[in-house]
Structures are given as C-alpha cells and as structure tokens.
Amino acid sequence: ERELEALALERERSGNLVKDADARVKAIEEETATRVMARELELDRLAKDLAMREEALEAKSLALARADAQEARNEKFAGVIRERERALEALRDELASKDDALTDAVIAIERESDVVR
C-alpha cells in the first residue's frame, strides 16, 4: 500500500510537472507571438520609413535634374546675351567712328566754306 501511495504521489508530481511545463511552454509561445508581432510592426514601420525616404530622394533627384536643366538654359541664355552685348559694342564703336568721320567732314566743309568767303 505504501508503494501505491508513493506511486500515486509520484504520478501527481509528474502530472504537476507536466502541467507546469505546459504552462511555461504556453507562456513562451505567447511571449514569442507577441515579440513576432512587435517585430512585424517594427518592420512595417521601417519599410514605410524607407519608402518615404526613397520618395524624398526621388523628389530631390528630380528637383536637382530640373535645376541642372534650368542652369544649362540660363548658361545658354547668358551666352546669347554676351554675344549680343559684343555685337552692340561693335555697333557703338562703328557709330562712334562714323560720327568722328562725319564731324571731320563737317569741319573740313566749314573750313572750305571759310576759305571760299
């Protein structure tokens, strides 16, 4: 009878150990599931953050390309302006030379006119 009681106690202890082990396994599984969900949420957040950064980088890249294109147009326009300024300066020099020639011609005519009088 003592052996039966000892076996019964051993079976009860074993049953309690199994229950405790099952409870620990369940707690670990729940904790693991919670951690997995937290990791998935963090990964989703990081993926969204990465997507936003990529969009911002693309927008900056497009803006830079537009700025480069505008700079090229501005340089071309500046070249045209410089060319026109050189042409205007050449015309001014030509007009000044013609004005000097006309002035010299008027003076010569006035001298001749004085001599004739």
Side-chain angles (χ1 to χ4, degrees):
E1 193 172 303
R2 277 188 164 182
E3 277 184 33
L4 286 177
E5 286 179 16
L7 285 173
L9 279 174
E10 186 62 31
R11 189 174 54 177
E12 187 179 329
R13 283 187 204 137
S14 294
N16 288 338
L17 288 174
V18 168
K19 287 178 187 176
D20 288 347
D22 286 344
R24 279 191 234 131
V25 166
K26 185 177 179 181
I28 290 170
E29 286 174 345
E30 288 174 357
E31 183 181 335
T32 302
T34 301
R35 285 183 181 175
V36 166
M37 279 197 295
R39 291 271 170 124
E40 287 174 349
L41 289 173
E42 179 65 10
L43 288 176
D44 285 346
R45 185 192 66 76
L46 290 173
K48 288 176 185 175
D49 185 52
L50 179 61
M52 287 173 46
R53 288 179 184 208
E54 286 174 345
E55 287 176 17
L57 184 59
E58 182 66 25
K60 286 179 182 179
S61 178
L62 289 173
L64 183 58
R66 284 193 298 269
D68 287 346
Q70 183 63 45
E71 184 178 354
R73 287 190 298 273
N74 289 348
E75 284 296 321
K76 184 178 178 182
F77 186 64
V80 169
I81 289 173
R82 285 189 295 272
E83 190 177 301
R84 288 180 180 173
E85 286 174 344
R86 283 191 294 274
L88 283 173
E89 189 61 35
L91 286 173
R92 281 188 200 112
D93 291 346
E94 184 181 334
L95 283 174
S97 176
K98 287 181 180 180
D99 183 55
D100 290 345
L102 285 173
T103 301
D104 290 345
V106 167
I107 291 171
I109 290 172
E110 287 177 352
R111 285 186 187 151
E112 286 180 22
S113 177
D114 288 343
V115 169
V116 170
R117 283 189 214 149

